[in-house]
């Protein structure tokens, strides 16, 4: 994704401590060269789990950040949605919304707000913003700790989204169900006008342990 609106694809990554890093592309799209990573801040402090913070941190911050960078509130600026483990026992997975109050070329983020999800509960949710049902409104898809992907339909508007109860998408094939830590991307892989799924996951049921990327073509 293009973090600073300079026409070049950059890299953004979460980590186990709940941090978020941006690696700007100082090369080109054809020959990318990534600068040293810079930690992203929100509300004037770095995004990091309170468990690891040495000073101020946002109270909603959990760990194992999994994120998507997109315009969730329809104001023309890309925001951050970050799925994490909860900050305390029994909280499970949670998703924090970081509103972009900066500009397209210099994003700046407010303190996080928890996203209201009607259920079901998900372990280590990995959000993805996309109009999945082609009704003109942005929905949310979630990869999870298991070999599961959920679809939360937006029954509101793009400016004021209201999410319905999540529905499990029936992704099957091979030994996909034996993997976990599902991370997703949505694209038109075969250029047939339909949305397709790429799902990366990890497996440990056989040796050596490893990972796969699965392609699920839209029907």
């Amino acid at each position: 994704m293009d973090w600073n609106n300079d026409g070049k694809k950059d890299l953004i990554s979460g980590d186990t401590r709940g941090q978020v890093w941006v690696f700007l592309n100082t090369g080109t799209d054809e020959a990318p060269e990534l600068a040293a990573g810079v930690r992203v801040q929100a509300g004037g402090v770095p995004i990091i789990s309170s468990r690891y913070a040495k000073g101020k941190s946002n109270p909603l911050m959990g760990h194992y950040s999994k994120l998507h960078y997109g315009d969730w509130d329809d104001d023309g600026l890309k925001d951050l949605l970050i799925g994490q483990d909860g900050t305390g026992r029994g909280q499970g997975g949670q998703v924090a919304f970081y509103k972009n109050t900066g500009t397209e070329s210099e994003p700046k983020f407010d303190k996080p707000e928890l996203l209201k999800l009607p259920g079901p509960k998900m372990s280590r949710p990995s959000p993805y913003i996309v109009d999945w049902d082609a009704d003109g409104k942005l929905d949310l898809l979630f990869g999870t700790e298991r070999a599961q992907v959920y679809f939360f339909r937006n029954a509101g508007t793009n400016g004021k989204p209201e999410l319905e109860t999540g529905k499990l998408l029936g992704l099957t094939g091979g030994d996909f169900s034996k993997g976990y830590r599902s991370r997703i991307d949505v694209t038109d892989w075969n250029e047939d006008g339909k949305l397709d799924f790429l799902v990366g996951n990890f497996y440990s049921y056989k040796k050596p342990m490893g990972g796969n990327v699965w392609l699920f073509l839209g029907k």
Side-chain angles (χ1 to χ4, degrees), residues 1 15 21 40 54 69 81 89 92 99 130 207 209:
M1 56 79 217
D15 68 17
W21 298 83
V40 177
K54 296 179 180 180
Y69 185 48
L81 289 184
R89 290 184 178 180
K99 179 178 175 60
V130 65
K207 304 299 181 183
M209 296 184 295

Side-chain angles (χ1 to χ4, degrees), residues 10-46:
D10 309 300
L11 181 65
I12 180 172
S13 176
D15 68 17
T16 58
R17 291 175 174 246
Q19 299 175 115
V20 176
W21 298 83
V22 170
F23 301 83
L24 293 178
N25 183 2
T26 59
T28 65
D29 278 349
E30 295 76 16
E33 296 182 11
L34 298 179
V38 176
R39 285 200 300 174
V40 177
Q41 295 194 356
V45 296

Side-chain angles (χ1 to χ4, degrees), residues 41-212:
Q41 295 194 356
V45 296
I47 296 176
I48 187 173
S49 169
S50 55
R51 176 185 296 183
Y52 301 104
K54 296 179 180 180
K56 292 183 178 180
S57 67
N58 290 307
L60 297 180
M61 285 302 302
H63 44 286
Y64 297 108
S65 288
K66 296 155 292 292
L67 52 93
H68 196 223
Y69 185 48
D71 185 5
W72 180 237
D73 57 1
D74 198 36
D75 65 353
L77 297 175
K78 293 178 181 178
D79 312 297
L80 275 175
L81 289 184
I82 303 181
Q84 298 170 317
D85 280 8
T87 54
R89 290 184 178 180
Q91 285 187 317
Q94 61 186 25
V95 181
F97 166 59
Y98 293 77
K99 179 178 175 60
N100 185 355
T101 58
T103 65
E104 289 184 291
S105 57
E106 295 184 4
K108 182 180 179 181
F109 301 99
D110 272 352
K111 294 180 180 179
E113 301 176 11
L114 281 185
L115 208 63
K116 294 181 179 179
L117 296 174
K121 291 183 178 180
M122 296 173 290
S123 177
R124 298 184 180 179
S126 179
Y128 196 98
I129 303 169
V130 65
D131 180 9
W132 181 246
D133 56 0
D135 65 352
K137 296 180 291 187
L138 292 175
D139 312 300
L140 279 181
L141 298 173
F142 287 96
T144 69
E145 178 69 1
R146 299 181 179 180
Q148 297 173 329
V149 176
Y150 284 90
F151 163 51
F152 287 74
R153 180 178 179 271
N154 181 5
T157 65
N158 279 334
K160 294 183 178 180
E162 296 180 9
L163 298 174
E164 295 181 344
T165 300
K167 296 181 179 179
L168 184 64
L169 298 182
L171 303 180
T172 60
D175 54 0
F176 173 73
S177 63
K178 296 181 180 180
Y180 52 99
R181 295 179 186 168
S182 298
R183 305 292 178 261
I184 62 177
D185 195 11
V186 180
T187 186
D188 185 358
W189 179 263
N190 55 356
E191 298 184 346
D192 65 351
K194 301 174 184 177
L195 294 179
D196 309 307
F197 255 130
L198 289 170
V199 183
N201 66 8
F202 180 76
Y203 62 81
S204 58
Y205 69 94
K206 63 181 180 180
K207 304 299 181 183
M209 296 184 295
N212 290 310

